Amino acid sequence: TGSQPAEPSTECWETATFDNNTCTWVVTGTQPLEPSTECWETATFDNNTCTWVVTGTQPAEPSTECWETATFDNNTCTWTVNGTQPAEPSTECWETATFDNNTCTWVVTGTQPAEPTTECWETATFNNTTCVWDVTGSQPAEPTTECWETATFNNGTCTWDVTNDGDTVNPMCQVQDILVELDQFGNANITADQIDNGSTDNCGIDTITVSPSSFTSSNLGVNNVELTVTDFSGNVSYCYATVTVMQNTLGNTQFNYENVNILPNPFNSYIVINLPIVSSNDSFSIRIFDLNGRLVYNKLQTTVDGKLNVNGLENLEQAPYFIKITNIEDGQTIVKKLLKF
């Protein structure tokens, strides 16, 4: 009687053989060695196929910049990225640095602004702070010249050239008409200053003369005179004025009117002439002369209540004057002395 011992359970890699000598089952066989794996792999024994199954995938290599290198680190089982972007280059203020990923280099673009055109006295210096050209310098001051000289700037030598052109400009002759009265001897003399009315010259006046300058009773009335103006270069201008010669009335102390008075005297801007009542409504010529015989005021007026109001005298200079009052109706004349203050 008896039964063979039951066959033991075995692994897939084992074999059970019954040993009649020992009357036991002998199990033989060894599990296949676990294969070497990468850090990202896992080995699992598959009893169905009786083999090791290796699973797992290496992590994907990361994206990198052109200057980077990716290396897989088996110790940490990760990718290590190394590398540094090249340093941006130094640029001038007018340049721009742009990184080119295709060539993995910096591309510098831009051009310095063109140097401006300058005058001979100017200097252009580039200002890196403002990135513009600074132009400095001033034209040399024009030299002082005589009236006959011309100063012209020479850009070739960067200096002023002074040329002597000579004074060829004639004086500007200005005259005024005057009235003079013969003295008690029947003579009258004038000067060029009495006729001159502000003549000018670009280089200065040397002499001014008038001709004729002497008059007698034969010259009563209007006379033409010639004023000659000469500058220092000998240029001459001529102009003409009239001198009205009158009989001596300024020296006549026999007045045709009595009780004529003028107020205020001294005066400033006006005077009032008080005449005899018999002259009411008569027209009068009122003329005021300076001591050189020049006529400075000339008006016609009609008396009102025996008075003549003379206004507008504020522009006369402070000086003595003679006033000549003539009745237009009968020709009678009176001369009085005035004083402007």
Side-chain angles (χ1 to χ4, degrees):
T1 63
S3 298
Q4 185 181 32
E7 184 175 352
S9 296
T10 57
E11 298 293 340
C12 65
W13 62 81
E14 294 176 324
T15 301
T17 305
F18 192 79
D19 186 340
N20 286 301
N21 292 320
T22 61
C23 203
T24 58
W25 287 92
V26 178
V27 177
T28 59
T30 304
Q31 184 181 31
L33 292 174
E34 184 176 348
S36 296
T37 57
E38 300 292 343
C39 63
W40 62 83
E41 294 176 326
T42 301
T44 305
F45 194 80
D46 187 340
N47 286 295
N48 293 321
T49 61
C50 208
T51 58
W52 289 93
V53 178
V54 176
T55 59
T57 306
Q58 184 181 35
E61 183 174 350
S63 298
T64 56
E65 301 292 345
C66 64
W67 61 83
E68 294 175 326
T69 301
T71 306
F72 194 81
D73 186 338
N74 286 293
N75 293 322
T76 61
C77 208
T78 58
W79 288 93
T80 301
V81 178
N82 298 307
T84 306
Q85 184 181 34
E88 183 174 349
S90 298
T91 56
E92 301 292 344
C93 63
W94 62 83
E95 295 176 325
T96 301
T98 306
F99 195 80
D100 186 337
N101 285 294
N102 294 322
T103 61
C104 211
T105 58
W106 287 94
V107 177
V108 177
T109 56
T111 306
Q112 184 181 34
E115 183 174 350
T117 302
T118 55
E119 301 292 344
C120 63
W121 62 82
E122 295 176 325
T123 301
T125 306
F126 194 79
N127 187 326
N128 285 294
T129 302
T130 60
C131 213
V132 296
W133 287 93
D134 293 334
V135 177
T136 57
S138 301
Q139 185 180 36
E142 184 174 349
T144 302
T145 55
E146 301 294 342
C147 62
W148 58 83
E149 294 176 325
T150 300
T152 306
F153 194 79
N154 187 327
N155 285 292
T157 61
C158 212
T159 58
W160 288 92
D161 293 334
V162 177
T163 56
N164 185 344
D165 301 322
D167 176 21
T168 59
V169 179
N170 290 332
M172 293 291 294
C173 186
Q174 300 288 339
V175 295
Q176 61 185 350
D177 300 330
I178 65 170
L179 181 148
V180 297
E181 295 193 8
L182 300 176
D183 61 19
Q184 58 185 342
F185 304 106
N187 299 309
N189 294 296
I190 64 171
T191 66
D193 287 342
Q194 290 176 266
I195 300 299
D196 181 48
N197 193 29
S199 298
T200 60
D201 184 75
N202 63 320
C203 285
I205 294 174
D206 185 18
T207 61
I208 301 178
T209 60
V210 63
S211 179
S213 61
S214 299
F215 303 93
T216 66
S217 58
S218 63
N219 302 118
L220 290 174
V222 177
N223 298 268
N224 292 321
V225 295
E226 179 182 75
L227 191 73
T228 303
V229 182
T230 306
D231 67 15
F232 289 104
S233 297
N235 300 305
V236 182
S237 288
Y238 305 94
C239 47
Y240 302 91
T242 60
V243 176
T244 302
V245 179
M246 302 178 60
Q247 289 285 4
N248 178 19
T249 58
L250 292 179
N252 183 4
T253 58
Q254 299 298 318
F255 300 140
N256 294 311
Y257 290 122
E258 295 183 3
N259 301 321
V260 172
N261 63 76
I262 300 174
L263 297 173
N265 190 15
F267 69 96
N268 180 261
S269 61
Y270 73 95
I271 57 175
V272 177
I273 304 169
N274 294 288
L275 296 168
I277 194 67
V278 294
S279 299
S280 293
N281 299 320
D282 285 353
S283 294
F284 286 84
S285 166
I286 303 169
R287 293 189 291 175
I288 299 177
F289 302 88
D290 64 16
L291 294 185
N292 289 320
R294 281 186 284 199
L295 182 65
V296 296
Y297 184 91
N298 186 13
K299 290 287 180 68
L300 290 176
Q301 284 196 32
T302 302
T303 58
V304 177
D305 296 329
K307 295 180 180 181
L308 295 171
N309 295 303
V310 181
N311 299 306
L313 305 180
E314 60 273 2
N315 293 326
L316 295 182
E317 296 180 357
Q318 295 183 7
Y321 293 91
F322 288 101
I323 183 169
K324 187 172 185 178
I325 307 164
T326 303
N327 189 323
I328 302 301
E329 311 299 329
D330 57 20
Q332 295 187 78
T333 297
I334 186 172
V335 177
K336 283 187 172 290
K337 190 172 183 179
L338 300 174
L339 181 63
K340 168 71 184 296
F341 71 90

